[in-house]
Amino acid sequence: MTVSSSIPLLIISGAACLALLLAVVPHAALRRMGPSAVGGLGIFAALVVCVARWGDRTVGYAGNVYEDRLSLLISILVLLAAGATIALSLREPASVDRRGEYVGLVLLSTAGMILTAQASDLIVIFLGIELLSVALYVLCALEVWRSRSLEAGLKYLITGAVGASVLLYGLAFLYGATGSTALADIGAKLGDVTLTSDPLVTAAMVLIVAGLAFKASAAPFHMWAPDVYEGAPTPITAFMATATKVAAFAAFLRIFVGTLPAGRDDWRVIIAMVAAASILIGNIAALRQQNVKRMLAYSGVAQAGYLLIGVAAGSVVGTRATLYYLIAYVAMTLGMFAIVVHREREVEDGDDVDAYRGYGRARPAMGIAGTICLLSLAGFPPLAGFVGKFLLFGAAVDHDLVWLAIVGAVGSILSLGYYLRLVAVMWMDDPKRADARHLPVPGAVGAVAISCAVAVVALALAAAGVLDAAGGAAETLLSP
Amino acid sequence: MGEQITFAVAAIAAMSCGVCVVSLRNAFQATVALIGTLLSVALLFLLQAAPFVAAIQIIVYAGAIVVLFLFVIAYLGERQADLGPDRAWRVQPLALIAVGVVGALGAVALLNANIRLQDKLVTLGEGPDIGSPKAIGDAFLRRYLVPFEVTSLVLLVAAVGAVMLAKRAVQAEGSR
Amino acid sequence: MTASVLGWLVLGLPLLGALVLSLWPSEPPQTVTRVIGCGSMLLAFILTLATWGTLLGENPEERTHVSSLWRWIEIGDLRVDLAIRIDQLSVLMMLVITGVGFLIHLYSTEYMAHDVGYRRFFAQMNFFVFSMLLLVEAGNFVFLIIGWALVGLASYLLIGFYDDRPSAVAAARKAFVINVIGDVGLVFAAFILLAKTGTLDFDQVFASAPKTLDGYAAEAVALLLFVGAAAKSAQVPLHTWLPDAMEGPTPVSALIHAATMVTAGVYLIVRCNVLYELAPSASNVVAIVGAITLLLAATIATVQVDIKRVLAWSTVSQIGYMIMGAGLHAYSSSMFHFLTHAFFKALLFLGAGIVIHALLGEQSLDRMGGLGKHLRGVMLMMAIGCMAIAGVPGLSGFFSKDAILAHAWSAGALGKCLWVVGIVAAALTAFYMFRLFFRTFMGPDREGGYEHLHMPGWAMTVPVAILTVGAAIVGWIEIPGVWDAMTTWLDPVVAGGPLGPAEVTHSAEWITGIASTLVAAGGIVVAWQIFGRDPKRRLELAGVARGPRSVLRDAYRFDDIFEGTVIEPTKQIGEVFLTKVEPRGAQGLVDGASSLVRVISGVISRLEGGLVRGYTAAMVGGVVVLGLIATVLLRAN
Amino acid sequence: MPWTTVLIIVPLLGALSMFALPEGGALQARIHAVVASLITLVLSFELLRRFDRDAGGLQLVDSHDWASSVGLRWTTGVDGISIWLVLLTTLLFFIAIAYSAFAWCDRPRAYLGLLLLAEAALIGLFVAGDLVLFYVFWEAMLIPFIFLVGLWGDENRRSATIQFVIYTMVGSLIMLVAVVATGILAQRHTGGAYTFTIADLAGVDFTERESTWLFAGFALAFAIKLPLFPFHAWLPKVYSAAPILVTALLAAVMSKAGVYGLLRVGVPTFPVGADNLTPVLLTLAVLGIIYGSLVAWRAETMRLVVGYSSLAHLGFIVLGIMAFDLQAGQGAVLQMVNHGLVVAATFGIVAMLARTGSEQMDRVSGLGAGAPWLGGVFLIVAMAALAIPGSNAFVGEFFILAGVFREHTWAAILACIGMVYAAVYMLRLYQDMMNGPRVGDGRKAEFRLPDALAILPIVLLMGLIALWPQSIVGGTRESVKRAIEPARAVAHPPAGVGEVPLP
Amino acid sequence: MELAVTTPVGTGEIPLGFYLALSGALFLLGLVGVLIRRNPLLLLLAVELMLNGANVALVGFARYWNDTGGQIFALIVMVVAAAEVVIGLGLVVAIFRQRLELDVDELSRLRG
């Protein structure tokens, strides 16, 4: 019963409550600025704690939560994404006069993600995922005066509820097959049997894959993602695209790699199938998108496929690759969304591809940052996306999934069609509309974009340190 | 024997009410049908030695949630008729077939499962106490403290969220 | 100075002249050009004489001097030096090249005086001489090939000297491309030698060839070398460029396309005589091709109207003699004929050049006639030239031609056949040369007469005169039964093959001498009958044998055949590649793939129809697929 | 001093310094770029001075840990193959940058910065001693070229760029899989730590299946970059759309990446696979030679004539590499340098000719009268391009074909068609432009000082190589030997090994 | 409390299989509901059916293994279900406020 193992969670929950309370203070300026400040401070404090507590596994709360390198790594990632989201939302319409609720919900969702990352119990996993989802349902629909925002919220809610039910049913089967909700017990019980020897576990596995794939927006459970990403307020989209995916992969890793390593050969096939489908469908569908957020949604589907390659490998090597790529993915995607947020403020329909004509020339710093992120997403060296793909393909080859690596390569080729199209539009086309407002780049958005670009480069150049961290997390995950 | 009869009645009631929930177009009627299902399921919980869960099912679920439904239905009034042509008709048969296949696969999985499906469950009292409020409370406060606490966060989100969504809102002066 | 140093100097002087002339910042005064252009040649000639003298002073067996400047390349197991080889054969060639070359340079100073690009002309001529010297002095196959190609380049440049004339440009291109074909033959011969002997040095190759080259390889090398020789020396079927090459200025025709470059093929065969000794069949092919060329070209020459073309075809035909001789292993005789031919053909070209110069560029025999009255000296010199080539006894052509034919007579059945061809061609030679002579210098003036005949100055006359003397007397260096300076001189470098030249009997020499004298006389008489005695005769006979004559005038339509079978088809293929395959083939693959992707993308997009129920259905479908995989695939394992 | 690394960093710093310049600092940008590329050039000569010509293997090695847990290392160095390509790169880029800086340049900051980036990437590619590093630079060089074509190209630049990128990336990503698989399979075979060091990988005993597939993966990427027929679909579009200076660099330097990779990575690492796929590559190379020559003969613009001729010439280089013959291999290395020089000079001349108003073959003719100096230099370059004996290109081509002839006679014989047609299309280019009726003003095309300063060094270098090829070939022997020896051993097993005695 | 423990209901005569069958049936029924209904309110009801189905299974397994975990899980699911419903209803009201059709098929401007 150690409280210390979930200090970040407590800090974030507390910050969320404080932010919500600040929503009702009469002082207008405090109401406006307070929640963001509280959120920022809370996130910073939680980050500090996470970094400070980097170390071996501790088990807290009767085995409900772990605090280990994996959870800390994921928490750091999620917290960074949350911080970026709050920074991006500073002037977002949905958040302007309800800053407290907005920040509070973001923080609560973050808490759900941290919980998912720390979970050592089926119930906690489910609850964490639901906490993050429910908060996101609201955040998606927060611009209630915009029908698209509402549509996004409702679609997310309905598909999300079905997905959650599927996941729940899978978890129930897993529970039924083993008689325990604790991952450690489940692992011990299934440690020496392959999954296919018990059809109940097979069924559970299929359903859990489906449920988590939904959260990670992997094909064919991804179909909500483009609609929701497009409809939701852009900072929230950024949050969903990054943090949610991180949490979903944390759950993937915990359940499959961490708990069921013995059945690796069985679930590998299923996850590899999902990965391949995601890579192909995501990349192909993204090719024809005219809306950048939608395009990034499909790109996110494809990236989920890449991330799943490492999961499918199911080893330290694979986990390390997935974790590294998650970090890289968060940086590049957030950077791109920061660009979209900025552009949306400058022009009408700022999420349309045509809105980016000549963007790079007009705003070189943002343009270069965006280009770096896009090139990294496309897997160009020497950027983080390349190193990630390199590791993922390596993991695939290492586990005789060469075909999956080839699918990944083919997908990357396809992805050039849209990433580079955007790059081309940014630099090679002349600005179409003269009515673009040339506002100064807001500091927060610019900072997010540029620090993401810097991170994308730094992650590749200083890969050794990041890989050590990811490797450490992977080893803790797999060590009994 | 009594147990079999109870199970049969509850199961049939749950299923038939469930069919009503799915098939009735009128939201009010469907909601009422859902109450039937919820109560039947509560009865099944009782049969499965989960009296506390059954009680919560009735109080929270059938009581609170369904009432909320009814409130909203009343608030919305009669504006849910006049549905246009079904645009998903091409997908629907396939989807239903898929549901059937899912059921079949699930059945295959269950029938081959390693757990003993046909065995009678251990009679209550013979095994350890798992369903009493004491047991539940104990579990919540010892073994499952984190989930217990986090539910509060979930409910907080629900409360805040519902208010924000339902509250009459206009677009704020954003800087877009 | 040793022969090697002299050899390098001879090689370097024309190059220096070429470089100075081309890099001169602007068009230099004509005097400067003359001094550099001719001066370098004169010096080179003098040094060549010195080289010759040095060699003469040495033991006949030790007259070979190989000298290298630097290690050019060391690649694999092969070492190639930038090396020259001075021996009897190369000195003989060098003498002709620099000697005749100097005369022609001198001649050109006046002939070209009115052309733009005076400096360019001399630079290119000097460059040609350098290349030709490199060819004959090269100490290994690599530099032989380099010289071989560079003379081709020089020839290309000079044929296309009038570069605004499309016909000249086309002729230059044709010459170049056919020469490249020859280069390829040579290069492949070198490949075989390299593969078999592991070296490209003349000495080493020739020394090891009898051991390392088996029958087929030797035949292949000999044939491939002959491809090169045929292209350069205009042998059938690679001869078509030479008549067109007459687009170049007349001195060019004299130097490159008569005296020196076109005989490089002969030089090559003689140089590689060791290899031909190993390849009897290839040698026979060489002889036969030479004979065919000889005959065809001679027949064609009988009907040509352009004065330079007559001479060009005559050149083709005469080289046919040399090639035939070389194929019969009569190397010395071939070289002998090369030597005499250089004199009389240069003389004839330069003489023709004076005529053309006088007529301000007119080349058609139809627009000439009666010029003997106006250009008496030229007529005399041309008469000697014509007699020399026709084989009038006592003049040079008689001796050299008969030497080859006597060898042929002695060389078995094949040789007898070739002898007959040679004799027939000799008759034709006498006929067409005197046809040219009579139509140019005899008879009445052309219609309209000559108004401004451009009289030649000393710079043009003196070289022709010197060449006339040469054409008359140079044949006396080898008189059957009296002395054989030529054979003796060349003996160390050409003797000693297993086949060797056939033993020439005195009877063969007599028979050949008498026969060729008779046919030469016959040819001259017929030409006189038709063209000389009564100019109207020619017009009366104009209707005779129109068909064959038009075939002859078109040179047996070799050009058309090439055009139809090689050039046009490949051009069409290229067009098809460019217009059909390029946009559709390779590109089409990409386009096809991308449109396939686009179609799939459209399908996915349509599925993403905005309906939540559809999304749910997809999820259910996904579960079904995964479930089936799990049950079916995993079970199966 | 880590010479090889410094050589990458100097142009990179030059490029980055562009961003630090104030908006519109055009003059400073020019000075920065020229200085950076000049320093690089000087450094590369210093590299040559320190280079031991008689040693095989990587020299002047600089090796650092990058992420050793996954086998990533920063290993750079030069051997007898790469040193020449590094020199080619530094020289041509210096010329290109100096020329653009002083003669023509639109938006100089970005343009010169991208050129420097491209230079850094190409040098990196040639000095990479690690397979992953090789791949990193392989991809990295694409980025500046994308922008150079895409931002400064003509009206078709968009589609050209996209085609270029997609085409080359198809190969690259397949190669990425192959790179990854190579490292992992090698680790499986050796049982040691993960390594991607090319020198270490060369000794690994891959199974025949692995070797073949991995080689195929690499070869595909190389073939597309070259390009090798029929993977050249991007070539006409990109060569036409790019600014001509960039086209020159693409043809002269970037195309070497493919052949270099084949010789330096593909063949030595996967000798068995290389041997198995030799017939395929030889066939494609020969087809490319013939095809490229025929299309070049009919092409309508000057650039495309040169572009397609490049297709044919690179076919020769591939032939030389795949012969697994020392002479052919050394000839191929020489030919890489030769082709780089010749094609750069040719494109330079095309650029000058284009000043008369059009790059169409049929628009102008007879320019030689107005531009005698151009005519002379053009002639020399054209002759070198058709590899006339006596030119630098001939030396390479001769020894390539000599080796190919020994090993695969048929290929050499078919390739000679290309030799003949080279004369045809190059003469067409030269004569149609320079000779014939005077159409167009030749004086516009005549050499000006910047042109002369740019092209004459290249021509002089061509002359030097023609006269003394040993200067380059001498240094290649040991490295080429190392590269092809394993494959040669597979192609020619020692007598008695693997032969089934006849009953 | 004592009373609850000794409640005579649930003597264990019904095997687990029956419960699981019923649970599956309810789950699938809910799924069918989600697939065929277009009114968001009805969709939410259908989702409740699915969650109830899962709960039946959870409680059944809890009984089978004699483990409280399943029942705790079921209780948590109820809370989550409640939260989802509340948010869902809030959305429905918001949609109603925006005078939009209460039909998920009509809410399909986002697509492609």
PDB file of all heavy atoms in Angstrom, chain B residues 27-41:
ATOM      1  N   ALA B  27     -38.639   5.644 -28.190  1.00  0.00           N
ATOM      2  CA  ALA B  27     -37.581   5.652 -27.190  1.00  0.00           C
ATOM      3  C   ALA B  27     -38.141   5.385 -25.801  1.00  0.00           C
ATOM      4  O   ALA B  27     -37.521   4.680 -24.998  1.00  0.00           O
ATOM      5  CB  ALA B  27     -36.855   6.998 -27.212  1.00  0.00           C
ATOM      6  N   PHE B  28     -39.293   5.903 -25.542  1.00  0.00           N
ATOM      7  CA  PHE B  28     -39.867   5.718 -24.225  1.00  0.00           C
ATOM      8  C   PHE B  28     -40.142   4.244 -23.950  1.00  0.00           C
ATOM      9  O   PHE B  28     -39.751   3.686 -22.929  1.00  0.00           O
ATOM     10  CB  PHE B  28     -41.168   6.548 -24.116  1.00  0.00           C
ATOM     11  CG  PHE B  28     -41.863   6.368 -22.810  1.00  0.00           C
ATOM     12  CD1 PHE B  28     -41.354   6.971 -21.660  1.00  0.00           C
ATOM     13  CD2 PHE B  28     -43.007   5.577 -22.710  1.00  0.00           C
ATOM     14  CE1 PHE B  28     -41.995   6.798 -20.451  1.00  0.00           C
ATOM     15  CE2 PHE B  28     -43.634   5.403 -21.498  1.00  0.00           C
ATOM     16  CZ  PHE B  28     -43.140   6.015 -20.357  1.00  0.00           C
ATOM     17  N   GLN B  29     -40.791   3.612 -24.936  1.00  0.00           N
ATOM     18  CA  GLN B  29     -41.101   2.188 -24.761  1.00  0.00           C
ATOM     19  C   GLN B  29     -39.825   1.379 -24.626  1.00  0.00           C
ATOM     20  O   GLN B  29     -39.710   0.477 -23.793  1.00  0.00           O
ATOM     21  CB  GLN B  29     -41.908   1.691 -25.955  1.00  0.00           C
ATOM     22  CG  GLN B  29     -43.289   2.313 -26.014  1.00  0.00           C
ATOM     23  CD  GLN B  29     -43.946   2.103 -27.363  1.00  0.00           C
ATOM     24  OE1 GLN B  29     -43.391   1.445 -28.224  1.00  0.00           O
ATOM     25  NE2 GLN B  29     -45.133   2.671 -27.529  1.00  0.00           N
ATOM     26  N   ALA B  30     -38.854   1.733 -25.422  1.00  0.00           N
ATOM     27  CA  ALA B  30     -37.602   0.979 -25.377  1.00  0.00           C
ATOM     28  C   ALA B  30     -36.957   1.126 -24.009  1.00  0.00           C
ATOM     29  O   ALA B  30     -36.427   0.160 -23.446  1.00  0.00           O
ATOM     30  CB  ALA B  30     -36.647   1.478 -26.465  1.00  0.00           C
ATOM     31  N   THR B  31     -37.016   2.313 -23.471  1.00  0.00           N
ATOM     32  CA  THR B  31     -36.415   2.537 -22.162  1.00  0.00           C
ATOM     33  C   THR B  31     -37.111   1.703 -21.096  1.00  0.00           C
ATOM     34  O   THR B  31     -36.463   1.100 -20.226  1.00  0.00           O
ATOM     35  CB  THR B  31     -36.501   4.028 -21.808  1.00  0.00           C
ATOM     36  OG1 THR B  31     -36.045   4.793 -22.907  1.00  0.00           O
ATOM     37  CG2 THR B  31     -35.646   4.337 -20.590  1.00  0.00           C
ATOM     38  N   VAL B  32     -38.417   1.666 -21.207  1.00  0.00           N
ATOM     39  CA  VAL B  32     -39.158   0.860 -20.249  1.00  0.00           C
ATOM     40  C   VAL B  32     -38.772  -0.617 -20.395  1.00  0.00           C
ATOM     41  O   VAL B  32     -38.562  -1.323 -19.400  1.00  0.00           O
ATOM     42  CB  VAL B  32     -40.670   1.073 -20.444  1.00  0.00           C
ATOM     43  CG1 VAL B  32     -41.447   0.106 -19.570  1.00  0.00           C
ATOM     44  CG2 VAL B  32     -41.048   2.502 -20.101  1.00  0.00           C
ATOM     45  N   ALA B  33     -38.615  -1.021 -21.659  1.00  0.00           N
ATOM     46  CA  ALA B  33     -38.205  -2.408 -21.875  1.00  0.00           C
ATOM     47  C   ALA B  33     -36.844  -2.656 -21.241  1.00  0.00           C
ATOM     48  O   ALA B  33     -36.584  -3.733 -20.681  1.00  0.00           O
ATOM     49  CB  ALA B  33     -38.165  -2.701 -23.373  1.00  0.00           C
ATOM     50  N   LEU B  34     -35.980  -1.655 -21.301  1.00  0.00           N
ATOM     51  CA  LEU B  34     -34.654  -1.816 -20.721  1.00  0.00           C
ATOM     52  C   LEU B  34     -34.755  -2.060 -19.217  1.00  0.00           C
ATOM     53  O   LEU B  34     -33.996  -2.857 -18.657  1.00  0.00           O
ATOM     54  CB  LEU B  34     -33.793  -0.589 -20.995  1.00  0.00           C
ATOM     55  CG  LEU B  34     -32.364  -0.686 -20.464  1.00  0.00           C
ATOM     56  CD1 LEU B  34     -31.589  -1.756 -21.210  1.00  0.00           C
ATOM     57  CD2 LEU B  34     -31.633   0.635 -20.569  1.00  0.00           C
ATOM     58  N   ILE B  35     -35.719  -1.372 -18.608  1.00  0.00           N
ATOM     59  CA  ILE B  35     -35.910  -1.606 -17.160  1.00  0.00           C
ATOM     60  C   ILE B  35     -36.147  -3.084 -16.915  1.00  0.00           C
ATOM     61  O   ILE B  35     -35.571  -3.691 -16.011  1.00  0.00           O
ATOM     62  CB  ILE B  35     -37.088  -0.774 -16.623  1.00  0.00           C
ATOM     63  CG1 ILE B  35     -36.782   0.720 -16.788  1.00  0.00           C
ATOM     64  CG2 ILE B  35     -37.342  -1.096 -15.155  1.00  0.00           C
ATOM     65  CD1 ILE B  35     -37.927   1.614 -16.378  1.00  0.00           C
ATOM     66  N   GLY B  36     -36.978  -3.672 -17.778  1.00  0.00           N
ATOM     67  CA  GLY B  36     -37.257  -5.104 -17.634  1.00  0.00           C
ATOM     68  C   GLY B  36     -35.963  -5.910 -17.684  1.00  0.00           C
ATOM     69  O   GLY B  36     -35.708  -6.775 -16.838  1.00  0.00           O
ATOM     70  N   THR B  37     -35.172  -5.618 -18.670  1.00  0.00           N
ATOM     71  CA  THR B  37     -33.918  -6.366 -18.791  1.00  0.00           C
ATOM     72  C   THR B  37     -33.057  -6.176 -17.556  1.00  0.00           C
ATOM     73  O   THR B  37     -32.488  -7.127 -17.011  1.00  0.00           O
ATOM     74  CB  THR B  37     -33.141  -5.878 -20.031  1.00  0.00           C
ATOM     75  OG1 THR B  37     -33.994  -5.960 -21.149  1.00  0.00           O
ATOM     76  CG2 THR B  37     -31.909  -6.718 -20.253  1.00  0.00           C
ATOM     77  N   LEU B  38     -32.944  -4.934 -17.126  1.00  0.00           N
ATOM     78  CA  LEU B  38     -32.072  -4.654 -15.995  1.00  0.00           C
ATOM     79  C   LEU B  38     -32.535  -5.410 -14.753  1.00  0.00           C
ATOM     80  O   LEU B  38     -31.714  -5.981 -14.020  1.00  0.00           O
ATOM     81  CB  LEU B  38     -32.035  -3.151 -15.715  1.00  0.00           C
ATOM     82  CG  LEU B  38     -31.396  -2.302 -16.824  1.00  0.00           C
ATOM     83  CD1 LEU B  38     -31.512  -0.824 -16.494  1.00  0.00           C
ATOM     84  CD2 LEU B  38     -29.952  -2.690 -17.030  1.00  0.00           C
ATOM     85  N   LEU B  39     -33.844  -5.432 -14.567  1.00  0.00           N
ATOM     86  CA  LEU B  39     -34.356  -6.136 -13.387  1.00  0.00           C
ATOM     87  C   LEU B  39     -34.096  -7.631 -13.512  1.00  0.00           C
ATOM     88  O   LEU B  39     -33.683  -8.287 -12.548  1.00  0.00           O
ATOM     89  CB  LEU B  39     -35.843  -5.846 -13.218  1.00  0.00           C
ATOM     90  CG  LEU B  39     -36.153  -4.390 -12.812  1.00  0.00           C
ATOM     91  CD1 LEU B  39     -37.661  -4.165 -12.753  1.00  0.00           C
ATOM     92  CD2 LEU B  39     -35.522  -4.076 -11.461  1.00  0.00           C
ATOM     93  N   SER B  40     -34.311  -8.172 -14.697  1.00  0.00           N
ATOM     94  CA  SER B  40     -34.059  -9.600 -14.882  1.00  0.00           C
ATOM     95  C   SER B  40     -32.614  -9.929 -14.607  1.00  0.00           C
ATOM     96  O   SER B  40     -32.289 -10.926 -13.960  1.00  0.00           O
ATOM     97  CB  SER B  40     -34.408 -10.021 -16.311  1.00  0.00           C
ATOM     98  OG  SER B  40     -35.609  -9.431 -16.713  1.00  0.00           O
ATOM     99  N   VAL B  41     -31.719  -9.058 -15.107  1.00  0.00           N
ATOM    100  CA  VAL B  41     -30.293  -9.295 -14.897  1.00  0.00           C
ATOM    101  C   VAL B  41     -29.980  -9.220 -13.410  1.00  0.00           C
ATOM    102  O   VAL B  41     -29.174 -10.002 -12.885  1.00  0.00           O
ATOM    103  CB  VAL B  41     -29.467  -8.295 -15.708  1.00  0.00           C
ATOM    104  CG1 VAL B  41     -28.001  -8.352 -15.315  1.00  0.00           C
ATOM    105  CG2 VAL B  41     -29.616  -8.587 -17.185  1.00  0.00           C
TER     106      VAL B  41
END
